[in-house]
Amino acid sequence: MTRRVLDVQGVSAGYGGQAIITDIDLHVDAQSITAIIGPNGAGKSTLLKAVFGLNDHLGGEILFDGRSIFNARTADLVPMGISAVPQTHNVFRSLSVEENLDVGTFAAPPRDAAATKAKILDLFPDLREKLRQQAGELSGGQRQMVAVGRALMSDPKLILLDEPTAGLSPAYLEIIFDLLLQVRDSGVSILMVEQNAKQALVIADEGYVLVNGENAYEGTGAELLANDEVRRSFLGGGGAP
Ligand SMILES: Nc1ncnc2c1ncn2[C@@H]1O[C@H](COP(=O)(O)OP(=O)(O)OP(=O)(O)O)[C@@H](O)[C@H]1O
Ligand SMILES: [Mg+2]
């Protein structure tokens, strides 16, 4: 049987006791990519924040590797094997690339930080040449690589990515998605929110369409790409990608 890394069961969550997402079911299997798409304000970031313990859990259950993390604190989730890249402000611009990566070890030092860093730099060879450069001087795509690299420094089992390709050119978008496939194949599961919905579903093993804080559609990436209603309403219409 496929191992379920993350199992979100009927979760409602929000801010100040007010629900933004309601009754969400979602799962991430081991070594897979799960994509969440949906309109602005649908609650996609709120869902990622709920998994990462950054807002109020109001109902349901969240299992990580079979253990409840409902109401768990972020500081406890990182050592358990979850890390995250937020939608904005996801690198320390005045720190070097290497210092940014090192920050990723603070909350949960990996067993062998040097080996972990070497592995990450093998995945992101562009960064190897820029280790001493300030992150703020990099291109948007390179900064996203730093952000994902930092998240990988704690040796997580699951990474949560909020719009890893936001603002990138189509060419760079492909580079980042290729890297995410390599990250997945290296054994890390990925739960990501994406505005570039079509391309995200192409690389996703599983996808969810979130609308008004609720699950509207669920299926494999291929199923959602083939669904006429999903295509018309959420993928910019037109034919198959
Ligand atoms: N810290 C917060 N406190 C109160 N309400 C919030 C907070 N963050 C988000 N919200 C509200 O939750 C709703 C969903 O926001 P969220 O950021 O989850 O949407 P999203 O689907 O990620 O949108 P986008 O595609 O624009 O990033 C919005 O109405 C927003 O105003
Ligand atoms: Mg968002």
CSV table of all heavy atoms in Angstrom, one decimal, residues 6 8 17 23-24 32 34 56 102 149 151 155 169 173 189 195 200 204:
chain,number,residue,atom,x,y,z
A,6,LEU,N,1.0,12.7,4.5
A,6,LEU,CA,0.1,13.7,5.1
A,6,LEU,C,-1.4,13.3,4.8
A,6,LEU,O,-1.7,13.0,3.7
A,6,LEU,CB,0.4,15.1,4.5
A,6,LEU,CG,-0.4,16.2,5.1
A,6,LEU,CD1,0.0,16.5,6.5
A,6,LEU,CD2,-0.3,17.5,4.2
A,8,VAL,N,-5.0,15.0,5.7
A,8,VAL,CA,-5.8,16.1,6.2
A,8,VAL,C,-7.3,15.6,6.1
A,8,VAL,O,-7.8,15.3,5.1
A,8,VAL,CB,-5.6,17.4,5.4
A,8,VAL,CG1,-6.6,18.5,5.8
A,8,VAL,CG2,-4.2,17.9,5.4
A,17,GLY,N,-10.3,32.5,15.3
A,17,GLY,CA,-11.4,31.7,15.6
A,17,GLY,C,-12.4,31.6,14.4
A,17,GLY,O,-13.4,30.9,14.5
A,23,ASP,N,-13.9,21.9,6.2
A,23,ASP,CA,-14.1,20.5,5.9
A,23,ASP,C,-13.2,20.0,4.8
A,23,ASP,O,-13.6,19.3,3.8
A,23,ASP,CB,-15.5,20.3,5.6
A,23,ASP,CG,-15.9,18.8,5.8
A,23,ASP,OD1,-15.2,18.1,6.6
A,23,ASP,OD2,-17.0,18.4,5.2
A,24,ILE,N,-11.9,20.3,4.9
A,24,ILE,CA,-11.0,20.0,3.8
A,24,ILE,C,-10.4,18.6,4.0
A,24,ILE,O,-9.9,18.2,5.1
A,24,ILE,CB,-9.8,21.0,3.8
A,24,ILE,CG1,-10.2,22.4,3.5
A,24,ILE,CG2,-8.7,20.5,2.8
A,24,ILE,CD1,-10.7,22.6,2.1
A,32,SER,N,5.7,11.9,-3.5
A,32,SER,CA,4.8,12.4,-4.6
A,32,SER,C,4.6,13.9,-4.5
A,32,SER,O,5.0,14.5,-3.5
A,32,SER,CB,3.4,11.7,-4.4
A,32,SER,OG,2.7,12.3,-3.4
A,34,THR,N,1.8,16.9,-4.7
A,34,THR,CA,0.3,17.2,-4.6
A,34,THR,C,0.2,18.7,-4.9
A,34,THR,O,0.9,19.5,-4.2
A,34,THR,CB,-0.3,16.8,-3.3
A,34,THR,OG1,-0.2,15.4,-3.1
A,34,THR,CG2,-1.7,17.2,-3.2
A,56,ASP,N,-5.3,29.0,13.3
A,56,ASP,CA,-6.2,28.3,14.2
A,56,ASP,C,-6.8,27.0,13.6
A,56,ASP,O,-7.4,27.1,12.6
A,56,ASP,CB,-7.3,29.2,14.7
A,56,ASP,CG,-6.8,30.5,15.4
A,56,ASP,OD1,-5.6,30.5,15.8
A,56,ASP,OD2,-7.6,31.4,15.4
A,102,ASP,N,22.2,27.8,5.6
A,102,ASP,CA,22.5,27.4,7.0
A,102,ASP,C,21.3,27.7,7.9
A,102,ASP,O,21.1,27.0,8.9
A,102,ASP,CB,23.7,28.1,7.4
A,102,ASP,CG,25.0,27.6,6.7
A,102,ASP,OD1,24.9,26.5,6.1
A,102,ASP,OD2,26.0,28.3,6.7
A,149,GLY,N,16.0,25.3,-1.3
A,149,GLY,CA,17.2,24.7,-0.7
A,149,GLY,C,17.2,24.8,0.8
A,149,GLY,O,17.5,23.9,1.5
A,151,ALA,N,14.6,25.1,2.7
A,151,ALA,CA,13.6,24.2,3.3
A,151,ALA,C,14.1,22.8,3.3
A,151,ALA,O,13.8,22.0,4.2
A,151,ALA,CB,12.3,24.3,2.5
A,155,ASP,N,16.4,18.2,6.2
A,155,ASP,CA,16.2,16.8,5.8
A,155,ASP,C,14.7,16.5,6.0
A,155,ASP,O,14.4,15.4,6.6
A,155,ASP,CB,17.0,15.9,6.7
A,155,ASP,CG,18.2,15.4,5.9
A,155,ASP,OD1,18.2,15.4,4.6
A,155,ASP,OD2,19.2,14.9,6.5
A,169,SER,N,9.5,33.7,-15.4
A,169,SER,CA,9.2,33.6,-16.8
A,169,SER,C,8.9,32.1,-17.1
A,169,SER,O,9.3,31.2,-16.3
A,169,SER,CB,10.5,33.9,-17.6
A,169,SER,OG,11.5,33.0,-17.4
A,173,LEU,N,10.1,28.8,-15.1
A,173,LEU,CA,9.1,28.0,-14.5
A,173,LEU,C,9.3,26.5,-14.7
A,173,LEU,O,9.3,25.7,-13.8
A,173,LEU,CB,7.7,28.5,-15.1
A,173,LEU,CG,6.4,27.8,-14.7
A,173,LEU,CD1,5.3,28.9,-14.9
A,173,LEU,CD2,6.1,26.6,-15.5
A,189,SER,N,8.4,14.4,-0.2
A,189,SER,CA,7.1,14.7,-0.7
A,189,SER,C,6.9,16.2,-0.8
A,189,SER,O,7.4,16.9,0.0
A,189,SER,CB,6.0,14.0,0.1
A,189,SER,OG,6.2,12.6,0.2
A,195,GLN,N,-0.3,29.1,-8.9
A,195,GLN,CA,-1.1,29.8,-9.8
A,195,GLN,C,-0.9,29.4,-11.2
A,195,GLN,O,-1.8,29.5,-12.1
A,195,GLN,CB,-0.8,31.3,-9.7
A,195,GLN,CG,-1.2,32.1,-8.5
A,195,GLN,CD,-2.7,32.2,-8.3
A,195,GLN,OE1,-3.4,31.9,-9.3
A,195,GLN,NE2,-3.1,32.6,-7.2
A,200,ALA,N,1.4,23.1,-13.2
A,200,ALA,CA,1.5,22.4,-12.0
A,200,ALA,C,0.9,21.0,-12.0
A,200,ALA,O,1.4,20.1,-11.5
A,200,ALA,CB,0.9,23.3,-10.8
A,204,ALA,N,2.1,17.2,-11.2
A,204,ALA,CA,1.5,16.7,-10.0
A,204,ALA,C,1.0,15.3,-10.1
A,204,ALA,O,0.4,14.9,-11.1
A,204,ALA,CB,0.4,17.6,-9.5
